[in-house]
Amino acid sequence: MTEIINFKFNFNFKNFNREIVFNWSPYLCHALKYNNDLDQNLIINPVKICSHGKIQVIFCKSLNSKLKPFPNNFWLTCPYLIKLASKIEACGGVHDLKKYLIDNNKLHDWNKFNYLHQVIRINLIDLNTRKFLRKYKPKIFNSLRLKGIGGINYKSKSGTNININIKCLHLQTASYLALNFHPGSDWLNSKNLNLNAECNCPEKFI
């Protein structure tokens, strides 16, 4: 019997209001070896496919079989985008994205974006497991429900933009492609890490 898990919620992001719905089945997932760093049992389903029919981003579970948290809701699998993000990151891309968010007063939007990842992450865990974690593994439970994209502590203690914490352009790109928005979308678009980004010949990456 195929188990279909569904959750949906409304999320207000500045002037952007949308209902996000995820439907997935652990029995329909094609657990291909996209990356040696990723536990294949964490893969749920593809969430972004390019015009070549290749998977760019996959949707991931919040916990592995040993109840160890996995903070990355979305994982970049496209070799072209991985290489591009790595190149930009090596040239100071994380710092530049942070500067963009600070200079454009995006702290509130950044906090809401990270909160969305918390909501997605906790909704991927069934109610009984949540109750178990809350009672017997509170540190794990709190890390799942309180930390942002990539498991970061994103809330500024001082309440100012100066402490914006950003982790990895690969995670930012994966989330942008999967959710169709990001508080730094203009900056990501300027670096060609956008919704239409793809290579001209996927065969050369195989």
Side-chain angles (χ1 to χ4, degrees):
M1 180 177 178
T2 300
E3 177 188 6
I4 300 294
I5 299 174
N6 167 275
F7 72 89
K8 62 182 180 179
F9 54 93
N10 290 310
F11 184 72
N12 294 309
F13 184 78
K14 204 170 184 179
N15 297 321
F16 185 81
N17 188 353
R18 67 178 291 188
E19 182 180 67
I20 298 176
V21 180
F22 289 105
N23 293 283
W24 61 275
S25 167
Y27 301 99
L28 297 177
C29 173
H30 300 289
L32 303 176
K33 292 189 178 299
Y34 299 104
N35 193 305
N36 291 331
D37 295 331
L38 181 63
D39 180 352
Q40 302 302 297
N41 293 319
L42 288 168
I43 298 173
I44 298 172
N45 267 331
V47 289
K48 181 70 167 60
I49 298 175
C50 71
S51 65
H52 304 295
K54 306 298 183 180
I55 299 171
Q56 291 182 307
V57 181
I58 51 178
F59 191 26
C60 299
K61 299 176 185 178
S62 302
L63 292 168
N64 66 14
S65 58
K66 296 181 180 179
L67 296 185
K68 182 178 179 180
F70 187 71
N72 305 325
N73 301 126
F74 306 105
W75 188 270
L76 194 64
T77 62
C78 169
Y80 167 75
L81 288 175
I82 290 172
K83 185 176 181 180
L84 179 59
S86 295
K87 181 178 179 180
I88 296 170
E89 191 169 297
C91 295
V94 171
H95 174 270
D96 292 344
L97 176 55
K98 176 179 178 178
K99 186 176 185 301
Y100 169 85
L101 295 174
I102 292 172
D103 291 348
N104 290 276
N105 298 314
K106 297 285 187 177
L107 176 62
H108 182 64
D109 292 345
W110 176 247
N111 285 347
K112 291 181 72 175
F113 186 68
N114 279 272
Y115 175 72
L116 171 58
H117 283 78
Q118 292 175 211
V119 174
I120 292 173
R121 189 183 303 125
I122 206 70
N123 273 278
L124 286 174
I125 305 171
D126 66 83
L127 186 57
N128 287 334
T129 302
R130 273 186 253 174
K131 289 179 178 179
F132 172 82
L133 292 174
R134 187 195 299 268
K135 185 174 182 179
Y136 298 106
K137 307 251 182 208
K139 288 186 178 180
I140 291 177
F141 181 73
N142 287 330
S143 71
L144 289 166
R145 73 182 186 90
L146 296 176
K147 293 190 177 181
I149 179 173
I152 64 169
N153 292 311
Y154 65 92
K155 293 183 179 178
S156 169
K157 293 181 180 180
S158 65
T160 64
N161 281 0
I162 198 67
N163 289 325
I164 283 180
N165 185 17
I166 296 178
K167 181 180 179 181
C168 184
L169 290 186
H170 301 79
L171 294 179
Q172 309 306 323
T173 303
S175 293
Y176 180 29
L177 268 59
L179 298 172
N180 295 329
F181 67 91
H182 190 286
S185 58
D186 288 344
W187 186 90
L188 291 167
N189 289 340
S190 73
K191 301 299 180 182
N192 294 318
L193 296 172
N194 55 53
L195 301 177
N196 298 315
E198 57 184 50
C199 65
N200 296 322
C201 180
E203 285 73 21
K204 67 183 178 182
F205 290 101
I206 296 177

